[in-house]
Amino acid sequence: MLRKAFPHHWSFFLGELALYSLIVLLLTGVWLTFFFKPEMREVVYHGSYVPLQGIRMSAAFDSTLHISFDVRGGLLIRQMHHWAALVFVAAIGVHLLRIFFTGAFRRPREINWVIGVTLLVLALAEGFAGYSLPDDLLSGTGLRIAQGIMLSLPVVGTYVSMFAFGGEFPGQDIVPRLYSLHILLLPGVLIALVTVHLTLVFYLKHTQWRGPGKTNANAVGKPMVPQFAVSSAGLSFMVAGVLTLLAGIAQINPVWVYGPYRADVVSTGSQPDFYVGFLEGALRLVPPWETNLAGHTVMWNVLLPAVVLPGLFFLVLYLYPFVEQRLTGEWEQEHHLCDRPRERPVRSGLGVAGIVFYGVLLLAGGNDIIAQTFRISVNALTWILRVALVVGPFLAFMVTRRLCHALLESERERLTGGEGTGEVRQSVAGGYESDHRPVERFRPGAPRTPVSPAGRSPGRRTGTPFRTPRLPGRRRR
């Protein structure tokens, strides 16, 4: 086991970034639990921050200010915790993109893909719960939006809201309940799933780029001890160091500036953390549609963007590996070699279209800030983003698919004719021709010999590059 092979390409370290961010989250979170009070009882602030002295606020916000200004190193730990949360979610997202574009979700790794998507869902829920705990004006505005989403559920919306908040908004129970979820239930499930995920990675072995000595039946890489262990430990220290540096010099979420939450006040320019920004954007783009059915008002402008859209989004992520393998006829084959994105034009096009769709929603979440900054009409910007949300992903898909085919054709010509040396020769007949030499440098996964259009060139409809025979038995290390 000490000689087990691990990958050395940089793209495989994205998952480790998420793991080490989670470790920083756990360590700083345990420290914060000694000082935070998850209570909504009203108190009068008498702490060190003079502008808020004498202001009535919840005990949760009072303890947050106490951590920030009266506990030695408290503000640094709070900032580290918040930055680690952002990096954790971002690393999971980028790691899933790497797996998607390289096809590392295919058999026998479908279950690990499902676990990874579930980890993303849990990370979003964990981030929102922690974001809401300080009970400041910004997080309280987010809770108000969450209550509106609950109320949009037909028939049961009122009951769900009353249960979550312990009565009429803002209630007295939401912060204690979010606290229990944030420090106990969600972290426990996260740690359990991460353990299962790493166990499956260890058992199934890593995928790898095509190259000399790398086949679908082996796993080539550096041994766990000492090469991988040393590099991975170094990465963990780098992650902790960068997060500490960010916490010290890049202020984030200054709750003392926002002040305590009041139900009759909304902070100007409220923006959530980036990982839920797409939901904010979806809420701002959907027109005010409502329907009265049997005495019940269905708020489509909230239900569709905040409940139906994310539900469909994650359903597509869960099902995609199984659907693609059925459509391409690859569900009976094991795949341990990574695809280059250009070799799968349809998959790459769908991935880029999804990124554009997410990007438009993220921009829409800050349409008021963008309109104010660039002095344009917020209504005109909203309509532009509505059109872009429909047209942008389609154009992104078409351009990406076409670009993938063009890259493959260019690569085939380069391998067939060689790469130019920059020299021009005159032939005996008096003509001129450029000099070429065989290709000697290759990127990871690139073919070494010319490929024919009928061989590994992807199909126009499914994007299947080629079929590999099914390999019996287990892979060698």
Side-chain angles (χ1 to χ4, degrees), residues 100 113 117 309-324 350:
F100 178 84
W113 169 265
V117 175
L309 175 65
L312 291 176
F313 174 73
F314 283 105
L315 180 63
V316 169
L317 289 182
Y318 277 118
L319 295 180
Y320 185 85
F322 308 97
V323 174
E324 182 191 279
L350 291 175

Side-chain angles (χ1 to χ4, degrees), residues 159-272:
Y159 301 100
V160 173
S161 174
M162 294 288 284
F163 170 77
F165 289 90
E168 292 291 343
F169 182 87
Q172 295 293 321
D173 297 339
I174 186 64
V175 168
R177 288 175 177 174
L178 288 176
Y179 184 71
S180 300
L181 289 173
H182 186 68
I183 71 165
L184 183 63
L185 181 60
L186 293 177
V189 179
L190 273 171
I191 294 173
L193 287 180
V194 167
T195 302
V196 175
H197 180 75
L198 294 178
T199 302
L200 287 175
V201 169
F202 196 85
Y203 176 74
L204 296 173
K205 304 177 181 62
H206 63 272
T207 56
Q208 58 192 0
W209 298 103
R210 297 185 189 93
K214 299 178 181 179
T215 68
N216 214 33
N218 65 3
V220 179
K222 53 188 176 183
M224 182 168 66
V225 177
Q227 283 88 342
F228 177 77
V230 172
S231 63
S232 186
L235 180 62
S236 68
F237 292 136
M238 291 176 62
V239 170
V242 170
L243 291 175
T244 305
L245 184 65
L246 286 172
I249 65 175
Q251 178 174 270
I252 186 173
N253 200 29
V255 295
W256 54 90
V257 176
Y258 309 143
Y261 178 67
R262 286 177 47 186
D264 60 334
V265 178
V266 176
S267 58
T268 303
S270 299
Q271 302 292 320

Side-chain angles (χ1 to χ4, degrees), residues 19 30 46 143 161 208 234 244 253 257 383 385 395-396 412 466:
L19 175 63
V30 169
H46 296 292
L143 283 176
S161 174
Q208 58 192 0
T244 305
N253 200 29
V257 176
W383 274 105
L385 292 174
L395 292 178
R412 186 182 66 84
F466 64 96

